[in-house]
Amino acid sequence: MYISVFLLVISLFYLILISFLYFGRERMKTLEDKIYKYMIITVFFGVIIDFIGLYFRIGIIDSNIIGVVMSNFHYVFLLIITCLITLYIFTPIGKKLINKSKKITYLIMGIYVVSVIFNFVSGFYPNEQTIYDYTLNEFSLYLVVGISIFIWLLHIIINYKNIKKKYAPIITIMLFFIPTIYIQNNNPELLIATPFITFIIVFIYHTLDNTDAKLINELNDAKEQVEKASFAKAEFLSEMSHQIRTPLNAIVGFSQCIESQEISDNVKEDVQQVKNASNKLLELVNNVIDATKIALNQLEIVNDEYATVRLINEVVDITKEKIGDKQIEFNIDFDKNIPKLLYGDYSRLKQVMINMLVNAIKCTEKGCIDFKIKTEKNNDMCRLTIVIENSEVVTSNDEINTMFENYDKLNISNFQMVEETNINLAMTRRIVELMNGSMIVKEDLGIRTNVTIIIDQKPAGESKMKNLENSIDLNSSDLNNKKILLVDDNKINLKVASRLLSDYGVKTEEVFSGQECLDKIISGEIYDLILLDDMMPGMSGVETLKKLRKIKNFNIPVVALTANAITGMKEKYLKEGFNDYIPKPIERKELNKILVKFLKLHNSNTDKDSIDTLNINLLIENDVDVEKGIQLLGDVE
């Protein structure tokens, strides 16, 4: 008897201690934790029931009816704790029960509820009614617990590959639960079942995921701060791009205007230097933005159909320009089997090639650079193998490896190296990886460097070259009767755009806000095209466009004219409902395309019919650079 009292007191002490530890801090509200909470409460009642039953046995209270009731409550307690343990085993950690498990759970709960009711009622029957020498409530208890243990064992065997620490106390109870109940039933004075369950409850506490809610909340707050910082960084990039491109727009725009006039050769040379410096600054801005977007995992690969002839010609032309007066022989070797049209990210692939060719030029004082493109079919993909080799290398092997390190690990103290080489090369490798390609660099010190880039592109099939009509040259007489509305909050930007458009003979009107643009349209003004800046105070270009689209019978093409020129912006603006997109600084070539697309070809069936009747595919298949031909000859015919 004293042993039973001692065990119950110890059990109560440990329950109070565990309750203090468990309920004393905020925890994640998982289903597993809820079940464990019910376990603690149930065992508390079990200890109280045993204490009351103990009083009956030592004669402090004498009531047969109350004794029977308390005995039945003890059996019910054992069944309920068995049910909770079963639910605990089948509960995924930190997750609610999935729909498929709910049906099984409801079935298990129903069986246990029936067992509890039957056990409680059968306890009031005379002890003479037995099954295999066991009373009804004893037999039902052994049956339910035995079946439960079998289910636990089966579950553990099925999930043996995912054995978790939570199963350790379950295995203990599987081994000793029935023997413990049997010993207590045969020795009513020895109350060991409830202390044994208490031990299991304490054991389970130490296998629970004890990460409290406070720590989780701190981690969530930290994650939220990181996300906010990333968003702020992206916003800063967009704003920086806008602020730098706005003055660049004026520099490049007015340079183009001056260049188109009759000026001396010296002035033309100076203007060209200004344009080159502007392009260099613009390239640097784009590289910094791309590098930061890569670091934020925000760089997007935008796939579309493109002509391989155009891509290769542009890369070759830029490379020759970069070589300049250097005594470098530039050798070109392209596989004749390269498909005429491919599907991929044209601008990024071009960027990769140019970056590596420019690096080869910088690392070569004299000698030769070989530019090769090979192709092979790989299932339904076309595998491009781009090889760039340069001789007379002036870069050591260690420097080559350093150049391809992540830009966030570079030594910023050597700004010239970071600006000219490392950012481009590290970024190039990352872009190749984003395109699911690979890059291999081999270097023979002082003799030769070989860079091999392997990228899969999808053949685009046979179709007309996209945007061919955008290469047609315009005469001022073509657009004499056209009227364009310019919307920008910056007076210099309006002046640049107006000045560039004046060469085409179009009429322009200028407004300084989205609201003024709306007022013009609502008042009945008619325009052939609207060039709309996005980043304006008060009402952005996107907001202005949405309100324009709500005006009845509004069908004027609207083109985004913005300094928000981060990669991927064109797709964003098209998705917002703009008809097209021109980045700042405004390039005459890009402006020419827009005017052709929305003014000349949109209203002239003659040129459109000429393009439709021309078998462009035939020219492309025979390696004719159609765009270059139109630029040189003047028109399609």
mmCIF file of all heavy atoms in Angstrom, residues 477-507:
data_model
loop_
_atom_site.group_PDB
_atom_site.id
_atom_site.type_symbol
_atom_site.label_atom_id
_atom_site.label_comp_id
_atom_site.label_asym_id
_atom_site.label_seq_id
_atom_site.Cartn_x
_atom_site.Cartn_y
_atom_site.Cartn_z
ATOM 1 N N SER A 477 7.728 62.216 -95.080
ATOM 2 C CA SER A 477 6.439 62.359 -95.762
ATOM 3 C C SER A 477 5.449 61.283 -95.359
ATOM 4 O O SER A 477 4.238 61.444 -95.510
ATOM 5 C CB SER A 477 6.646 62.330 -97.283
ATOM 6 O OG SER A 477 7.256 61.096 -97.662
ATOM 7 N N ASP A 478 5.959 60.159 -94.821
ATOM 8 C CA ASP A 478 5.083 59.053 -94.430
ATOM 9 C C ASP A 478 4.193 59.426 -93.247
ATOM 10 O O ASP A 478 3.103 58.888 -93.087
ATOM 11 C CB ASP A 478 5.908 57.818 -94.061
ATOM 12 C CG ASP A 478 6.685 57.279 -95.245
ATOM 13 O OD1 ASP A 478 6.183 57.418 -96.368
ATOM 14 O OD2 ASP A 478 7.778 56.727 -95.030
ATOM 15 N N LEU A 479 4.662 60.321 -92.391
ATOM 16 C CA LEU A 479 3.983 60.576 -91.124
ATOM 17 C C LEU A 479 3.534 62.032 -90.965
ATOM 18 O O LEU A 479 3.306 62.508 -89.859
ATOM 19 C CB LEU A 479 4.920 60.215 -89.952
ATOM 20 C CG LEU A 479 5.532 58.807 -89.993
ATOM 21 C CD1 LEU A 479 6.475 58.616 -88.818
ATOM 22 C CD2 LEU A 479 4.454 57.742 -89.965
ATOM 23 N N ASN A 480 3.392 62.723 -92.078
ATOM 24 C CA ASN A 480 3.055 64.150 -92.011
ATOM 25 C C ASN A 480 1.756 64.426 -91.266
ATOM 26 O O ASN A 480 1.638 65.431 -90.571
ATOM 27 C CB ASN A 480 2.951 64.734 -93.429
ATOM 28 C CG ASN A 480 4.322 65.169 -93.941
ATOM 29 O OD1 ASN A 480 5.231 65.416 -93.150
ATOM 30 N ND2 ASN A 480 4.473 65.238 -95.255
ATOM 31 N N ASN A 481 0.791 63.556 -91.420
ATOM 32 C CA ASN A 481 -0.530 63.799 -90.823
ATOM 33 C C ASN A 481 -0.731 63.069 -89.496
ATOM 34 O O ASN A 481 -1.847 63.011 -88.992
ATOM 35 C CB ASN A 481 -1.625 63.374 -91.811
ATOM 36 C CG ASN A 481 -1.559 64.166 -93.095
ATOM 37 O OD1 ASN A 481 -1.318 65.381 -93.069
ATOM 38 N ND2 ASN A 481 -1.765 63.489 -94.222
ATOM 39 N N LYS A 482 0.340 62.501 -88.941
ATOM 40 C CA LYS A 482 0.218 61.744 -87.695
ATOM 41 C C LYS A 482 0.405 62.666 -86.490
ATOM 42 O O LYS A 482 1.141 63.654 -86.542
ATOM 43 C CB LYS A 482 1.239 60.607 -87.646
ATOM 44 C CG LYS A 482 1.184 59.672 -88.854
ATOM 45 C CD LYS A 482 -0.201 59.066 -89.043
ATOM 46 C CE LYS A 482 -0.246 58.162 -90.267
ATOM 47 N NZ LYS A 482 -1.602 57.625 -90.487
ATOM 48 N N LYS A 483 -0.281 62.285 -85.410
ATOM 49 C CA LYS A 483 -0.263 63.123 -84.213
ATOM 50 C C LYS A 483 0.028 62.239 -82.991
ATOM 51 O O LYS A 483 -0.647 61.214 -82.786
ATOM 52 C CB LYS A 483 -1.620 63.819 -84.051
ATOM 53 C CG LYS A 483 -1.646 64.912 -83.003
ATOM 54 C CD LYS A 483 -3.016 65.602 -83.034
ATOM 55 C CE LYS A 483 -3.087 66.698 -81.985
ATOM 56 N NZ LYS A 483 -4.423 67.357 -81.988
ATOM 57 N N ILE A 484 1.031 62.616 -82.217
ATOM 58 C CA ILE A 484 1.471 61.808 -81.072
ATOM 59 C C ILE A 484 1.366 62.639 -79.788
ATOM 60 O O ILE A 484 1.770 63.818 -79.772
ATOM 61 C CB ILE A 484 2.915 61.316 -81.265
ATOM 62 C CG1 ILE A 484 3.011 60.409 -82.483
ATOM 63 C CG2 ILE A 484 3.399 60.577 -80.019
ATOM 64 C CD1 ILE A 484 4.422 59.930 -82.795
ATOM 65 N N LEU A 485 0.839 62.028 -78.737
ATOM 66 C CA LEU A 485 0.761 62.673 -77.419
ATOM 67 C C LEU A 485 1.897 62.144 -76.544
ATOM 68 O O LEU A 485 2.031 60.937 -76.338
ATOM 69 C CB LEU A 485 -0.583 62.378 -76.751
ATOM 70 C CG LEU A 485 -0.772 62.981 -75.346
ATOM 71 C CD1 LEU A 485 -0.751 64.510 -75.399
ATOM 72 C CD2 LEU A 485 -2.082 62.477 -74.710
ATOM 73 N N LEU A 486 2.724 63.063 -76.054
ATOM 74 C CA LEU A 486 3.833 62.701 -75.171
ATOM 75 C C LEU A 486 3.446 63.021 -73.729
ATOM 76 O O LEU A 486 3.031 64.151 -73.430
ATOM 77 C CB LEU A 486 5.097 63.483 -75.552
ATOM 78 C CG LEU A 486 5.588 63.326 -76.997
ATOM 79 C CD1 LEU A 486 6.750 64.282 -77.249
ATOM 80 C CD2 LEU A 486 6.023 61.894 -77.253
ATOM 81 N N VAL A 487 3.590 62.010 -72.837
ATOM 82 C CA VAL A 487 3.212 62.186 -71.430
ATOM 83 C C VAL A 487 4.426 61.882 -70.565
ATOM 84 O O VAL A 487 4.901 60.737 -70.515
ATOM 85 C CB VAL A 487 2.041 61.263 -71.045
ATOM 86 C CG1 VAL A 487 1.553 61.593 -69.643
ATOM 87 C CG2 VAL A 487 0.905 61.371 -72.054
ATOM 88 N N ASP A 488 4.955 62.902 -69.892
ATOM 89 C CA ASP A 488 6.132 62.730 -69.036
ATOM 90 C C ASP A 488 6.186 63.892 -68.058
ATOM 91 O O ASP A 488 5.836 65.030 -68.406
ATOM 92 C CB ASP A 488 7.409 62.686 -69.881
ATOM 93 C CG ASP A 488 8.570 62.023 -69.141
ATOM 94 O OD1 ASP A 488 8.787 62.363 -67.964
ATOM 95 O OD2 ASP A 488 9.249 61.180 -69.754
ATOM 96 N N ASP A 489 6.602 63.623 -66.822
ATOM 97 C CA ASP A 489 6.683 64.690 -65.820
ATOM 98 C C ASP A 489 7.997 65.458 -65.916
ATOM 99 O O ASP A 489 8.184 66.456 -65.210
ATOM 100 C CB ASP A 489 6.527 64.095 -64.416
ATOM 101 C CG ASP A 489 7.651 63.142 -64.067
ATOM 102 O OD1 ASP A 489 7.839 62.160 -64.812
ATOM 103 O OD2 ASP A 489 8.348 63.354 -63.062
ATOM 104 N N ASN A 490 8.927 65.014 -66.775
ATOM 105 C CA ASN A 490 10.231 65.647 -66.904
ATOM 106 C C ASN A 490 10.285 66.452 -68.205
ATOM 107 O O ASN A 490 10.124 65.900 -69.302
ATOM 108 C CB ASN A 490 11.334 64.581 -66.872
ATOM 109 C CG ASN A 490 12.720 65.172 -66.805
ATOM 110 O OD1 ASN A 490 13.186 65.771 -67.772
ATOM 111 N ND2 ASN A 490 13.393 64.996 -65.681
ATOM 112 N N LYS A 491 10.535 67.761 -68.091
ATOM 113 C CA LYS A 491 10.535 68.635 -69.260
ATOM 114 C C LYS A 491 11.641 68.272 -70.248
ATOM 115 O O LYS A 491 11.446 68.342 -71.462
ATOM 116 C CB LYS A 491 10.693 70.087 -68.806
ATOM 117 C CG LYS A 491 9.477 70.633 -68.065
ATOM 118 C CD LYS A 491 9.676 72.101 -67.716
ATOM 119 C CE LYS A 491 8.452 72.657 -66.991
ATOM 120 N NZ LYS A 491 8.610 74.091 -66.637
ATOM 121 N N ILE A 492 12.803 67.882 -69.730
ATOM 122 C CA ILE A 492 13.920 67.525 -70.615
ATOM 123 C C ILE A 492 13.572 66.289 -71.431
ATOM 124 O O ILE A 492 13.844 66.224 -72.640
ATOM 125 C CB ILE A 492 15.210 67.299 -69.801
ATOM 126 C CG1 ILE A 492 15.638 68.608 -69.130
ATOM 127 C CG2 ILE A 492 16.321 66.768 -70.690
ATOM 128 C CD1 ILE A 492 16.884 68.487 -68.279
ATOM 129 N N ASN A 493 12.962 65.300 -70.770
ATOM 130 C CA ASN A 493 12.565 64.092 -71.502
ATOM 131 C C ASN A 493 11.565 64.420 -72.607
ATOM 132 O O ASN A 493 11.632 63.867 -73.720
ATOM 133 C CB ASN A 493 11.952 63.072 -70.539
ATOM 134 C CG ASN A 493 12.997 62.389 -69.678
ATOM 135 O OD1 ASN A 493 14.176 62.360 -70.029
ATOM 136 N ND2 ASN A 493 12.578 61.849 -68.551
ATOM 137 N N LEU A 494 10.614 65.313 -72.315
ATOM 138 C CA LEU A 494 9.639 65.711 -73.330
ATOM 139 C C LEU A 494 10.326 66.412 -74.491
ATOM 140 O O LEU A 494 9.989 66.194 -75.665
ATOM 141 C CB LEU A 494 8.587 66.631 -72.701
ATOM 142 C CG LEU A 494 7.558 65.964 -71.784
ATOM 143 C CD1 LEU A 494 6.683 67.022 -71.120
ATOM 144 C CD2 LEU A 494 6.687 64.979 -72.552
ATOM 145 N N LYS A 495 11.301 67.246 -74.178
ATOM 146 C CA LYS A 495 12.018 67.977 -75.223
ATOM 147 C C LYS A 495 12.815 67.028 -76.107
ATOM 148 O O LYS A 495 12.846 67.175 -77.345
ATOM 149 C CB LYS A 495 12.945 69.006 -74.584
ATOM 150 C CG LYS A 495 13.607 69.940 -75.590
ATOM 151 C CD LYS A 495 14.415 71.019 -74.896
ATOM 152 C CE LYS A 495 15.055 71.957 -75.922
ATOM 153 N NZ LYS A 495 15.860 73.018 -75.253
ATOM 154 N N VAL A 496 13.471 66.028 -75.473
ATOM 155 C CA VAL A 496 14.245 65.046 -76.243
ATOM 156 C C VAL A 496 13.331 64.270 -77.181
ATOM 157 O O VAL A 496 13.610 64.137 -78.389
ATOM 158 C CB VAL A 496 14.987 64.076 -75.295
ATOM 159 C CG1 VAL A 496 15.590 62.919 -76.092
ATOM 160 C CG2 VAL A 496 16.073 64.801 -74.532
ATOM 161 N N ALA A 497 12.221 63.740 -76.650
ATOM 162 C CA ALA A 497 11.301 62.948 -77.475
ATOM 163 C C ALA A 497 10.717 63.795 -78.591
ATOM 164 O O ALA A 497 10.618 63.352 -79.751
ATOM 165 C CB ALA A 497 10.188 62.375 -76.599
ATOM 166 N N SER A 498 10.329 65.021 -78.267
ATOM 167 C CA SER A 498 9.750 65.908 -79.277
ATOM 168 C C SER A 498 10.770 66.233 -80.366
ATOM 169 O O SER A 498 10.436 66.263 -81.564
ATOM 170 C CB SER A 498 9.255 67.186 -78.605
ATOM 171 O OG SER A 498 8.677 68.059 -79.554
ATOM 172 N N ARG A 499 12.006 66.441 -79.945
ATOM 173 C CA ARG A 499 13.062 66.774 -80.908
ATOM 174 C C ARG A 499 13.344 65.597 -81.843
ATOM 175 O O ARG A 499 13.520 65.775 -83.051
ATOM 176 C CB ARG A 499 14.327 67.163 -80.152
ATOM 177 C CG ARG A 499 15.508 67.501 -81.040
ATOM 178 C CD ARG A 499 15.251 68.774 -81.830
ATOM 179 N NE ARG A 499 16.369 69.057 -82.724
ATOM 180 C CZ ARG A 499 16.542 68.514 -83.911
ATOM 181 N NH1 ARG A 499 15.648 67.640 -84.384
ATOM 182 N NH2 ARG A 499 17.581 68.850 -84.667
ATOM 183 N N LEU A 500 13.391 64.372 -81.287
ATOM 184 C CA LEU A 500 13.622 63.185 -82.116
ATOM 185 C C LEU A 500 12.471 62.959 -83.091
ATOM 186 O O LEU A 500 12.675 62.599 -84.252
ATOM 187 C CB LEU A 500 13.807 61.950 -81.235
ATOM 188 C CG LEU A 500 15.113 61.851 -80.444
ATOM 189 C CD1 LEU A 500 15.052 60.691 -79.461
ATOM 190 C CD2 LEU A 500 16.309 61.686 -81.376
ATOM 191 N N LEU A 501 11.248 63.183 -82.627
ATOM 192 C CA LEU A 501 10.075 62.950 -83.467
ATOM 193 C C LEU A 501 9.925 64.003 -84.555
ATOM 194 O O LEU A 501 9.286 63.751 -85.592
ATOM 195 C CB LEU A 501 8.808 62.911 -82.593
ATOM 196 C CG LEU A 501 8.640 61.662 -81.727
ATOM 197 C CD1 LEU A 501 7.532 61.854 -80.711
ATOM 198 C CD2 LEU A 501 8.346 60.432 -82.596
ATOM 199 N N SER A 502 10.515 65.172 -84.321
ATOM 200 C CA SER A 502 10.392 66.237 -85.320
ATOM 201 C C SER A 502 11.039 65.842 -86.640
ATOM 202 O O SER A 502 10.627 66.313 -87.709
ATOM 203 C CB SER A 502 11.016 67.534 -84.788
ATOM 204 O OG SER A 502 12.424 67.384 -84.630
ATOM 205 N N ASP A 503 12.051 64.981 -86.596
ATOM 206 C CA ASP A 503 12.714 64.535 -87.816
ATOM 207 C C ASP A 503 11.799 63.679 -88.684
ATOM 208 O O ASP A 503 12.061 63.474 -89.868
ATOM 209 C CB ASP A 503 13.979 63.738 -87.476
ATOM 210 C CG ASP A 503 15.052 64.623 -86.851
ATOM 211 O OD1 ASP A 503 14.978 65.853 -87.020
ATOM 212 O OD2 ASP A 503 15.953 64.076 -86.179
ATOM 213 N N TYR A 504 10.732 63.135 -88.091
ATOM 214 C CA TYR A 504 9.807 62.284 -88.833
ATOM 215 C C TYR A 504 8.629 63.076 -89.390
ATOM 216 O O TYR A 504 7.782 62.522 -90.100
ATOM 217 C CB TYR A 504 9.276 61.159 -87.941
ATOM 218 C CG TYR A 504 10.340 60.191 -87.472
ATOM 219 C CD1 TYR A 504 11.003 60.385 -86.270
ATOM 220 C CD2 TYR A 504 10.674 59.080 -88.237
ATOM 221 C CE1 TYR A 504 11.978 59.501 -85.833
ATOM 222 C CE2 TYR A 504 11.641 58.192 -87.814
ATOM 223 C CZ TYR A 504 12.304 58.410 -86.604
ATOM 224 O OH TYR A 504 13.260 57.526 -86.184
ATOM 225 N N GLY A 505 8.546 64.337 -89.021
ATOM 226 C CA GLY A 505 7.463 65.170 -89.534
ATOM 227 C C GLY A 505 6.142 64.989 -88.814
ATOM 228 O O GLY A 505 5.103 65.456 -89.295
ATOM 229 N N VAL A 506 6.125 64.299 -87.675
ATOM 230 C CA VAL A 506 4.872 64.110 -86.936
ATOM 231 C C VAL A 506 4.579 65.343 -86.084
ATOM 232 O O VAL A 506 5.475 66.113 -85.720
ATOM 233 C CB VAL A 506 4.939 62.859 -86.034
ATOM 234 C CG1 VAL A 506 5.150 61.629 -86.853
ATOM 235 C CG2 VAL A 506 6.013 63.010 -84.971
ATOM 236 N N LYS A 507 3.305 65.513 -85.740
ATOM 237 C CA LYS A 507 2.897 66.566 -84.829
ATOM 238 C C LYS A 507 2.873 65.991 -83.402
ATOM 239 O O LYS A 507 2.391 64.878 -83.196
ATOM 240 C CB LYS A 507 1.514 67.094 -85.209
ATOM 241 C CG LYS A 507 1.462 67.748 -86.580
ATOM 242 C CD LYS A 507 0.051 68.183 -86.915
ATOM 243 C CE LYS A 507 -0.004 68.797 -88.319
ATOM 244 N NZ LYS A 507 -1.388 69.205 -88.677
#
